[in-house]
Amino acid sequence: MTPVTDIDEDGERLRLTRSGLLRGAAVSVVALSASGGAALSSSRARAAAPPKGTVTRYPLHLPPTTAPASLTLAEAPAVVDLGGGSYSNVWAYNGFFPGPSIVARSGDTASIHLVNGLSEETITHWHGMIVDERNDGGPRYAIAPGASYDYAFTINQRACLNWYHPHPHMLTGEQVNLGLAGAFIVRDSVEDALGLPFGAHEVPLIIRDATLDSAGNLQYKPRSGGFDGQIPLVNGTRNPYLAVDQSVYRFRVLNGANARIFGLALSSGAPFTLIGNDGGLLETQTNLSRIDVAPAERLDLLLSFAGLSVGQSVMLRDLRAGWDLLEFRVVAPGTGSVPTLSLPTITKLSNPVTTRTFSFDGMSKINGKLFDLNRIDFQVPFGQTERWRFITNGNAPHPVHIHGASFQVQSRTGGRGQVFPWERGWKDTVLLEDRETVEVLIRFDAFRGKYLIHCHKLEHEDMGMMSNFEVV
Ligand code: C2O
Ligand code: CU
């Protein structure tokens, strides 16, 4: 075995040595997924190109839902249908790509048995869940192939869309990219009281990019500037469509890409109604015709199809890549326009006691340091409100993510020079572009223990743009 010495497009030697060595293992074991029960031929390249000018679209996959109690989640290779019978080798939770949507209520207890069915170490992190260190699934808790890990925690936070994904040291980009991610939805009585669309009218949309090899299997080709996939997938579906009626839908959007930012818009130019983000509902609803969403950020959007006739359709697009992401096909009558909601107020953090500055340097360092699994870089007093300032000296975008607490974005100066409507309320990930300074207020008031701050561009994270700190 030789270490990886690829020079990527940016001319920087990839430091993803462990991923590189293990890259070939991705397709070595094949298991049938629950959704891929059809006989598999040796050739999986069945996604034949349609005649020019037409795109065959496939029904959007909707992951099964599960409660968080007595849940076993196994990370293992699987074969899934990306749409229209094009089978692909992926890595999946319980054979599903994306993994099952965990749906819980605030106050519930999660007891989750994680099984490592991969050929390398892994651990699962519950992104956005405020849990103690032992349950946070950080890289110091990684388990060996064949081993298992038991989580037990109380869900004690407001309704929101969180998610789960692997978080092993230097292997996160590979494991997420090959398919390991799922939604973790929290509900509460405040949300219930709003009477938001539910059931078939509440749809999770996990949007990401992917690259397929010549046999149609997911292929992870890391580059230090960030993985740059060739096609979009929504809920693991290629060229998806969703059959809708003319009423109001609630879309729970997650950018599940390793590195790509999506500029979401509708082909009709009609606005989305934004009602929530990472940390749950916002205080005000806002109509927006474009929303830029960075890796790991979430959006809660309402959309009415009342303005379209049965038989018409509208496309969810990514204006950055010029991609069609998801076609909404109106197939049935319905009624309803987007309601005016009285959304909950959010208590503002204020009067920070200290300011800490974090410089996201190059592609692999924070404040000049590479991540060290065993080094604790700073201590944060429990219960104290602090101002954390994020700066960069190049190689952005850096989606900055913090474990252990949500934060409130105060300002962005330089660069885009504003805080966008989707950055209000409670956040756990905020996009930092070149020349920008972003300030947030944060208070760790749930648990003492060791947590992480890192870039959620997973290739930057794997190369070392991550830091351990301890709440004391
Ligand atoms: Cu979504 Cu530390 O990760
Ligand atoms: Cu970064």
Side-chain angles (χ1 to χ4, degrees), residues 17 58 65 126 164 168 185 188 192 198 228 307 312 325 355 387 405 467 471:
T17 311
Y58 306 106
T65 60
W126 319 100
Y164 60 97
I185 293 171
D188 67 10
D192 293 347
F198 66 99
D228 187 23
Q312 286 189 311
L325 298 175
T355 299
R387 178 187 293 112
S467 169
V471 178

Side-chain angles (χ1 to χ4, degrees), residues 224-225 360-365 392 394-400 432 454-461 465:
S224 55
F360 291 79
D361 299 329
M363 304 193 188
S364 58
K365 292 176 180 162
T392 173
N395 297 296
H398 304 296
V400 177
L432 181 66
H454 62 87
C455 179
H456 217 289
K457 178 181 279 186
L458 299 180
E459 290 68 36
H460 287 185
E461 171 183 338
M465 191 174 271

Side-chain angles (χ1 to χ4, degrees), residues 175-385:
Q175 293 185 7
V176 173
N177 194 261
L178 292 177
L180 292 164
F184 197 138
I185 293 171
V186 180
R187 306 204 181 283
D188 67 10
S189 54
V190 173
E191 179 190 79
D192 293 347
L194 294 172
L196 295 169
F198 66 99
H201 292 83
E202 183 192 19
V203 183
L205 300 178
I206 302 182
I207 305 173
R208 52 165 287 180
D209 56 351
T211 292
L212 305 182
D213 67 14
S214 57
N217 300 311
L218 285 200
Q219 184 181 37
Y220 182 48
K221 294 174 97 175
R223 42 194 290 284
S224 55
F227 173 85
D228 187 23
Q230 291 161 356
I231 58 165
L233 296 174
V234 183
N235 295 352
T237 324
R238 279 186 91 161
N239 298 326
Y241 75 88
L242 180 68
V244 296
D245 62 38
Q246 289 168 305
S247 67
V248 182
Y249 282 74
R250 181 183 186 193
F251 293 106
R252 314 297 303 268
V253 177
L254 160 68
N255 181 342
N258 281 40
R260 182 181 292 273
I261 301 165
F262 294 100
L264 301 180
L266 293 168
S267 56
S268 60
F272 311 103
T273 301
L274 172 77
I275 62 167
N277 59 1
D278 306 0
L281 294 165
L282 294 162
E283 285 186 308
T284 49
Q285 64 194 80
T286 312
N287 289 342
L288 295 162
S289 56
R290 174 177 177 157
I291 302 178
D292 284 276
V293 59
E297 287 190 304
R298 285 88 76 201
L299 301 169
D300 198 341
L301 303 176
L302 298 180
L303 199 51
S304 168
F305 297 104
L308 298 176
S309 315
V310 173
Q312 286 189 311
S313 69
V314 64
M315 190 72 77
L316 176 66
R317 304 201 72 236
D318 165 33
L319 298 182
R320 288 182 172 236
W323 280 345
D324 288 342
L325 298 175
L326 169 65
E327 183 183 27
F328 300 111
R329 291 183 182 166
V330 182
V331 300
T335 49
S337 48
V338 172
T340 300
L341 301 166
S342 67
L343 293 167
T345 53
I346 293 174
T347 307
K348 302 282 182 293
L349 296 176
S350 60
N351 301 320
V353 175
T354 354
T355 299
R356 297 177 200 271
T357 299
F358 299 86
S359 175
F360 291 79
D361 299 329
M363 304 193 188
S364 58
K365 292 176 180 162
I366 297 177
N367 291 340
K369 289 183 190 159
L370 281 175
F371 180 65
D372 176 335
L373 200 59
N374 299 309
R375 187 188 67 228
I376 307 301
D377 291 319
F378 59 102
Q379 293 189 324
V380 183
F382 181 87
Q384 168 173 301
T385 301

Side-chain angles (χ1 to χ4, degrees), residues 125 127 163 165 167 296 401 403 452 454 456 461:
H125 167 60
H127 182 126
W163 62 302
H165 63 76
H167 213 310
H401 171 52
H403 292 214
L452 291 164
H454 62 87
H456 217 289
E461 171 183 338

